[in-house]
Amino acid sequence: MNNIDSTSVISEVRNRVLYLALNRPSKLNALNRAVFDRLMEIIEPLERHQAIGCIVLGSTSDHFCAGADISMLASRNAEALRCDDMFAEWQAFADLKVPKIAAVKGCALGGGCELAMMCDIIYAREEAVFGQPEVKLGLIPGMGGTQRLTRRVGRAKAMELILTGRTISAHQACDMGLVSRVFTADFDDQVRAQAELIASYGGVATRAAVEAIGRAEQTSLAEGLLFERRVYHGLWNTDDCQEGLQAFIDKRPAKVVNR
């Protein structure tokens, strides 16, 4: 990752929350290699320690992300895209077990909607819009849209959204199950409060929860239940669990032990 553009994504840590902001306002925060490289530079160390309890991915402008940077892709041919396995590298962001919140303002279209779906929770400001309009370019979603959208909203809704390319409002997205909550006022403060709440809990447990819920989309119910029980059993030996149990008995707030 040489010559990484450190301005393409702005980062800040407050109260165990890592705030990431896409910063290409003139391009509506369209995704390119510079954005991916900068994100990876920031998040790669996070799996190795517990100092960060939650990640919030937002933007510095009034739009979350308009999708992949078409000007970057237009000159590529199909063979080059296949050889590079275009977009496969984004799975590293999706696989990060630190709880991730997408804070969506304005548009989250195409790759922007797919990037939001790589997060564990999507919060939207009231005027936000979502969509997978790739069909209008003679394409289909390529960063996981056909798979993640189907799992979030069901086959019927995913088919209609992808085949028509239409956009939906934040409230429609919430009703479908794509968005967790819509905040009509004080958006940044509301997102910050939720992120700090998640970060206030032990990182071992929250990361385990992210992994266990992810299993629900990948395995049978029987296998998922077995995985959940094994993780639950293992958590009893952690310092966070012992502190949490003792705090409950003592009727006091638990301290985050595992940092």
Side-chain angles (χ1 to χ4, degrees), residues 151-166:
R151 284 166 170 77
R152 283 180 177 253
V153 307
R155 183 181 188 274
K157 293 296 185 183
M159 277 286 190
E160 198 240 351
L161 289 173
I162 291 172
L163 293 180
T164 65
R166 75 180 180 95

Side-chain angles (χ1 to χ4, degrees), residues 36-56:
F36 173 77
D37 286 348
R38 176 59 176 157
L39 275 175
M40 288 300 101
E41 179 185 49
I42 296 168
I43 71 173
E44 275 183 341
L46 298 185
E47 294 284 35
R48 297 192 292 271
H49 58 76
Q50 302 288 325
I52 300 300
C54 188
I55 296 171
V56 174

Side-chain angles (χ1 to χ4, degrees), residues 53-68:
C54 188
I55 296 171
V56 174
L57 176 63
S59 66
T60 59
S61 65
D62 288 333
H63 290 285
F64 179 72
C65 176

Side-chain angles (χ1 to χ4, degrees), residues 62 104-107 124-129 168-171 182-183:
D62 288 333
V104 177
K105 300 179 288 187
C107 68
R125 203 162 68 180
E126 189 172 32
E127 84 288 353
V129 294
I168 56 174
S169 70
H171 287 291
V182 178
F183 294 121

Side-chain angles (χ1 to χ4, degrees), residues 93-119:
F93 177 77
D95 287 342
L96 189 67
K97 295 183 182 64
V98 180
K100 302 182 295 297
I101 295 172
V104 177
K105 300 179 288 187
C107 68
L109 303 176
C113 186
E114 291 168 299
L115 179 59
M117 288 190 290
M118 292 179 195
C119 296

Side-chain angles (χ1 to χ4, degrees), residues 237-257:
N237 286 334
T238 64
D239 292 339
D240 278 333
C241 179
Q242 294 304 309
E243 162 61 15
L245 294 171
Q246 191 60 52
F248 180 83
I249 293 169
D250 296 342
K251 296 181 172 55
R252 60 173 174 79
K255 301 173 183 177
V256 177
V257 175

Side-chain angles (χ1 to χ4, degrees), residues 29-240:
N29 296 318
L31 304 175
N32 62 6
R33 186 73 203 188
V35 172
F36 173 77
D37 286 348
R38 176 59 176 157
L39 275 175
M40 288 300 101
E41 179 185 49
I42 296 168
I43 71 173
E44 275 183 341
L46 298 185
E47 294 284 35
R48 297 192 292 271
H49 58 76
Q50 302 288 325
I52 300 300
C54 188
I55 296 171
V56 174
L57 176 63
S59 66
T60 59
S61 65
D62 288 333
H63 290 285
F64 179 72
C65 176
D69 192 334
I70 299 302
S71 63
M72 173 190 72
L73 300 177
S75 62
R76 310 292 299 280
N77 59 38
E79 185 61 29
L81 296 180
R82 279 194 296 269
C83 288
D84 292 344
D85 200 5
M86 191 72 178
F87 301 135
E89 66 269 24
W90 284 95
Q91 190 61 36
F93 177 77
D95 287 342
L96 189 67
K97 295 183 182 64
V98 180
K100 302 182 295 297
I101 295 172
V104 177
K105 300 179 288 187
C107 68
L109 303 176
C113 186
E114 291 168 299
L115 179 59
M117 288 190 290
M118 292 179 195
C119 296
D120 305 302
I121 296 172
I122 301 176
Y123 291 137
R125 203 162 68 180
E126 189 172 32
E127 84 288 353
V129 294
F130 297 81
Q132 298 289 165
E134 289 88 350
V135 69
K136 297 178 181 180
L137 301 178
L139 294 168
I140 67 169
M143 286 175 60
T146 63
Q147 305 303 302
R148 292 192 176 95
L149 187 62
T150 302
R151 284 166 170 77
R152 283 180 177 253
V153 307
R155 183 181 188 274
K157 293 296 185 183
M159 277 286 190
E160 198 240 351
L161 289 173
I162 291 172
L163 293 180
T164 65
R166 75 180 180 95
T167 60
I168 56 174
S169 70
H171 287 291
Q172 288 173 311
C174 191
D175 290 341
M176 288 182 184
L178 174 60
V179 166
S180 300
R181 291 173 67 180
V182 178
F183 294 121
T184 58
D186 303 319
F187 180 69
D188 292 338
D189 291 339
Q190 297 271 21
V191 172
R192 183 180 303 112
Q194 296 303 311
E196 291 185 356
L197 176 63
I198 293 170
S200 72
Y201 301 132
V204 174
T206 56
R207 295 181 191 208
V210 168
E211 186 174 13
I213 294 169
R215 279 296 176 99
E217 299 175 334
Q218 302 166 6
T219 64
S220 68
L221 176 59
E223 291 170 333
L225 290 171
L226 176 61
F227 181 81
E228 178 188 80
R229 290 197 303 274
R230 295 296 180 259
V231 172
Y232 179 88
H233 299 158
L235 287 172
W236 278 80
N237 286 334
T238 64
D239 292 339
D240 278 333

